[in-house]
Amino acid sequence: MDTLMRLRRDRQTPPARHRLVLPDDMTVPLGCDAVAAPAGLGLLLLPRLPRVGCVYADGTRWWWIVPSDSDHALEWPAATYYAAGAVVPDAARLPHLIHRPDGTVPYTPPIPLYLALCRLTGTTPAWSRPISA
Protein backbone atom coordinates (compact mmCIF):
# COMPACT_ATOMS: atom_id res chain seq x y z
CA MET A 1 0.00 0.00 0.00
CA ASP A 2 2.80 2.43 0.89
CA THR A 3 4.48 1.71 -2.44
CA LEU A 4 1.26 2.47 -4.32
CA MET A 5 0.85 5.74 -2.40
CA ARG A 6 4.39 6.80 -3.28
CA LEU A 7 3.94 5.89 -6.96
CA ARG A 8 0.69 7.88 -7.11
CA ARG A 9 2.32 10.86 -5.38
CA ASP A 10 5.38 10.76 -7.67
CA ARG A 11 3.09 10.88 -10.68
CA GLN A 12 1.20 13.91 -9.30
CA THR A 13 4.17 15.97 -8.11
CA PRO A 14 4.76 19.01 -10.37
CA PRO A 15 8.28 20.05 -11.40
CA ALA A 16 10.63 20.82 -8.49
CA ARG A 17 11.32 24.41 -9.55
CA HIS A 18 8.58 25.62 -7.19
CA ARG A 19 9.78 23.74 -4.11
CA LEU A 20 9.88 25.61 -0.78
CA VAL A 21 13.48 26.29 0.20
CA LEU A 22 14.37 25.47 3.79
CA PRO A 23 17.05 27.40 5.68
CA ASP A 24 20.51 25.91 5.07
CA ASP A 25 21.01 24.71 8.64
CA MET A 26 17.75 22.69 8.74
CA THR A 27 17.78 18.90 8.55
CA VAL A 28 14.89 16.82 7.20
CA PRO A 29 15.31 13.30 8.60
CA LEU A 30 11.66 12.45 7.79
CA GLY A 31 11.46 14.04 4.35
CA CYS A 32 9.54 17.20 3.66
CA ASP A 33 5.95 18.01 2.63
CA ALA A 34 3.87 21.12 3.21
CA VAL A 35 0.29 21.97 4.14
CA ALA A 36 -1.18 25.24 2.88
CA ALA A 37 -3.99 26.98 4.73
CA PRO A 38 -5.73 30.28 4.01
CA ALA A 39 -3.70 33.20 5.36
CA GLY A 40 -6.63 34.27 7.55
CA LEU A 41 -6.26 31.07 9.56
CA GLY A 42 -2.50 31.44 10.06
CA LEU A 43 -2.55 33.64 13.14
CA LEU A 44 -5.39 31.57 14.62
CA LEU A 45 -3.36 28.37 14.22
CA LEU A 46 -0.19 29.55 15.96
CA PRO A 47 -1.46 29.47 19.58
CA ARG A 48 -3.17 26.10 19.00
CA LEU A 49 0.04 24.24 18.15
CA PRO A 50 2.51 22.71 20.63
CA ARG A 51 5.39 23.39 18.23
CA VAL A 52 5.60 25.51 15.09
CA GLY A 53 8.15 24.59 12.46
CA CYS A 54 9.04 26.55 9.35
CA VAL A 55 6.10 28.54 8.02
CA TYR A 56 6.01 30.36 4.69
CA ALA A 57 3.53 32.92 3.32
CA ASP A 58 2.60 34.02 -0.17
CA GLY A 59 -0.13 36.57 0.60
CA THR A 60 -3.12 34.25 0.26
CA ARG A 61 -1.80 31.12 2.03
CA TRP A 62 0.50 30.07 4.82
CA TRP A 63 2.58 26.95 4.17
CA TRP A 64 3.46 24.68 7.13
CA ILE A 65 6.35 22.22 6.76
CA VAL A 66 5.41 18.69 7.89
CA PRO A 67 7.17 15.30 7.60
CA SER A 68 6.69 13.40 4.33
CA ASP A 69 3.57 11.26 4.05
CA SER A 70 1.65 13.30 6.63
CA ASP A 71 -1.35 12.86 4.36
CA HIS A 72 -1.34 9.09 4.78
CA ALA A 73 -4.81 8.02 5.96
CA LEU A 74 -5.83 11.68 6.52
CA GLU A 75 -8.26 13.80 4.56
CA TRP A 76 -7.03 17.34 5.14
CA PRO A 77 -9.88 19.90 5.27
CA ALA A 78 -11.13 21.24 1.94
CA ALA A 79 -9.75 24.71 2.70
CA THR A 80 -6.21 23.30 2.77
CA TYR A 81 -3.79 22.07 0.13
CA TYR A 82 -1.34 19.22 0.75
CA ALA A 83 1.90 19.60 -1.18
CA ALA A 84 4.01 16.45 -1.44
CA GLY A 85 7.70 17.34 -1.53
CA ALA A 86 6.82 20.89 -0.39
CA VAL A 87 6.18 21.77 -4.04
CA VAL A 88 4.11 24.93 -4.47
CA PRO A 89 1.76 24.75 -7.47
CA ASP A 90 1.19 27.66 -9.84
CA ALA A 91 3.54 30.00 -8.00
CA ALA A 92 4.57 33.21 -9.72
CA ARG A 93 7.06 33.55 -6.87
CA LEU A 94 7.91 31.32 -3.96
CA PRO A 95 6.38 32.00 -0.55
CA HIS A 96 8.78 33.64 1.89
CA LEU A 97 9.77 32.32 5.33
CA ILE A 98 7.81 34.04 8.11
CA HIS A 99 8.60 31.71 11.03
CA ARG A 100 11.54 29.51 11.77
CA PRO A 101 11.77 27.26 14.82
CA ASP A 102 14.60 27.06 17.32
CA GLY A 103 16.84 24.16 16.42
CA THR A 104 17.43 22.43 13.13
CA VAL A 105 14.19 20.48 12.51
CA PRO A 106 11.64 22.37 10.36
CA TYR A 107 8.52 20.36 11.15
CA THR A 108 5.19 21.36 12.60
CA PRO A 109 3.65 18.21 14.13
CA PRO A 110 1.04 17.10 11.58
CA ILE A 111 -1.64 15.68 13.90
CA PRO A 112 -2.01 18.85 16.04
CA LEU A 113 -1.95 20.91 12.80
CA TYR A 114 -4.64 18.66 11.29
CA LEU A 115 -6.85 18.86 14.39
CA ALA A 116 -6.47 22.65 14.66
CA LEU A 117 -7.33 23.07 10.97
CA CYS A 118 -10.36 20.78 11.36
CA ARG A 119 -11.56 22.81 14.32
CA LEU A 120 -11.08 26.18 12.61
CA THR A 121 -12.74 25.04 9.38
CA GLY A 122 -15.61 23.17 11.05
CA THR A 123 -14.46 19.86 9.55
CA THR A 124 -14.96 16.59 11.39
CA PRO A 125 -11.65 14.67 11.63
CA ALA A 126 -11.61 11.63 9.35
CA TRP A 127 -11.49 9.12 12.22
CA SER A 128 -14.58 10.68 13.90
CA ARG A 129 -16.90 10.43 10.91
CA PRO A 130 -19.63 7.80 10.93
CA ILE A 131 -18.99 4.72 8.82
CA SER A 132 -21.79 3.60 6.54
CA ALA A 133 -22.43 -0.08 6.02
Side-chain angles (χ1 to χ4, degrees):
M1 181 70 148
D2 288 338
T3 301
L4 291 175
M5 288 290 292
R6 287 188 204 288
L7 288 173
R8 187 185 69 157
R9 177 175 291 133
D10 289 344
R11 205 174 66 234
Q12 293 175 345
T13 303
R17 70 175 188 261
H18 299 297
R19 188 177 311 273
L20 293 173
V21 179
L22 296 173
D24 289 336
D25 62 339
M26 292 282 161
T27 61
V28 287
L30 302 175
C32 185
D33 289 348
V35 176
L41 296 179
L43 289 173
L44 299 174
L45 284 166
L46 290 174
R48 289 177 157 84
L49 299 171
R51 180 183 192 285
V52 178
C54 287
V55 181
Y56 296 79
D58 64 10
T60 60
R61 297 179 282 196
W62 282 25
W63 296 84
W64 306 77
I65 299 297
V66 294
S68 290
D69 299 324
S70 292
D71 63 335
H72 183 73
L74 286 180
E75 293 176 32
W76 288 83
T80 64
Y81 177 80
Y82 190 88
V87 175
V88 179
D90 305 327
R93 63 183 176 93
L94 282 176
H96 62 281
L97 183 67
I98 60 170
H99 181 272
R100 102 173 249 138
D102 295 333
T104 61
V105 180
Y107 306 124
T108 295
I111 298 300
L113 177 61
Y114 173 78
L115 291 172
L117 282 166
C118 284
R119 181 155 186 118
L120 290 172
T121 61
T123 303
T124 302
W127 55 76
S128 297
R129 294 182 194 140
I131 298 173
S132 60

